[in-house]
Amino acid sequence: MPSFFKDRKPKKKSSQDDENQTTDQPIEQIQVSLSGNLNMIKRKTGNSSDVVIREIKMGGASDVKTAIVYIEGIVDNQSIQEYLLQSMMKDDHKEEINQHNAIDLLSKDIMTIGNISSVTNLDDLFASLMAGDTLILLEGVDRALSASTKGGEKRSIAESTTQMVVRGPKGAFTESLGINTAMVRRIIKTPDLWMESLKVGRVTKTDVTFMYIHGIANDKVVKEIRQRLKRIDIDSILESGYIEQLIEDQTFTPFPTMYNTERPDVVAGNLLEGRIAIFVDGTPFVLIAPALFMQFFQSAEDYYARFD
């Protein structure tokens, strides 16, 4: 059976030159003009109807023009209303705000939402916007604030339909990456359960996370998976099957080198055996690597039943 971790051929020189050219291109920065930034966002998004722009005024004389930008449907509207709008429009520091201290006051004293980060270039700005964050832009300031307001409709946790068991946990993964990793965290309660995340796909920018237990998983295997994921160069990742086909060694073989499951307990069992789990946002199927031949004859109930 071919090795999952055999050496790959080096990349062609032309592709390396292309990568160097893309990294040498200057990154466009956020403008000082609020209207210029808003027009740029509208132009870049094609003036899409689901891009919501709410302009408000702050400061004692209402001289600090501010805009809140988010995409409807992928944000938590209640968080925006309670932790952003109400905090910004009814705060005691409103008289003290000016263009020089607005960013610091907003991030440290006014906004009560949990995760806030500063954004200085357009690439990070649009990445945050498309991920479900809310942007706060101000007139006369060449940077923006990104508040974590991810939300929207999500499928609730249900019973597995592909790996049903009589005995054992019934919950299965969903299409939400955060929920899936949290389900494994609830089973393996150790700080040695490490995760690394990256975005794959030039257009879709799909969130991909691989998980392993430090001290149990082989460091060489972890390094190999990290390199293969970073090596992927493709426009879109729609499902974990894309990742499986792009990082496996052999395609014309009846013996898969990766295993997939939608059960958190199966992922936890394989992590405790030293394997690595790969989560892809938007799919309930998690990849496990490397796969052994005997895994495909194993049932999820084998973890809870006597060996005989």
Side-chain angles (χ1 to χ4, degrees), residues 70-76 128-133 149-153:
Y70 61 90
I71 296 181
E72 190 177 12
I74 63 174
V75 297
D76 185 358
S128 297
L129 181 65
M130 298 303 164
D133 295 339
T149 56
K150 297 180 179 67
E153 295 295 328

Side-chain angles (χ1 to χ4, degrees), residues 11 31 87 163 226 240 271 283:
K11 277 189 171 183
Q31 303 176 23
S87 300
Q163 295 175 315
R226 184 188 298 115
S240 59
L271 289 173
T283 176

Side-chain angles (χ1 to χ4, degrees), residues 86-124:
Q86 290 186 8
S87 300
M88 295 170 65
M89 300 177 71
K90 299 180 180 180
D91 193 84
D92 296 335
H93 296 82
K94 191 173 182 180
E95 302 294 329
E96 308 171 10
I97 294 180
N98 54 58
Q99 290 182 348
H100 304 289
N101 63 7
I103 287 288
D104 292 332
L105 280 177
L106 283 172
S107 60
K108 296 179 180 179
D109 295 329
I110 295 179
M111 293 192 299
T112 58
I113 203 163
N115 189 13
I116 299 175
S117 59
S118 179
V119 180
T120 57
N121 60 74
L122 296 184
D123 289 345
D124 294 339

Side-chain angles (χ1 to χ4, degrees), residues 9 12 23 57 65 90 96 247:
K9 295 181 180 179
K12 295 181 180 179
T23 55
K57 292 183 178 181
K65 296 181 180 180
K90 299 180 180 180
E96 308 171 10
I247 69 174

Side-chain angles (χ1 to χ4, degrees), residues 249-267:
D249 282 327
Q250 300 291 333
T251 55
F252 299 103
T253 172
F255 305 109
T257 55
M258 301 188 72
Y259 184 73
N260 67 81
T261 179
E262 61 173 346
R263 295 184 57 87
D265 55 330
V266 174
V267 171

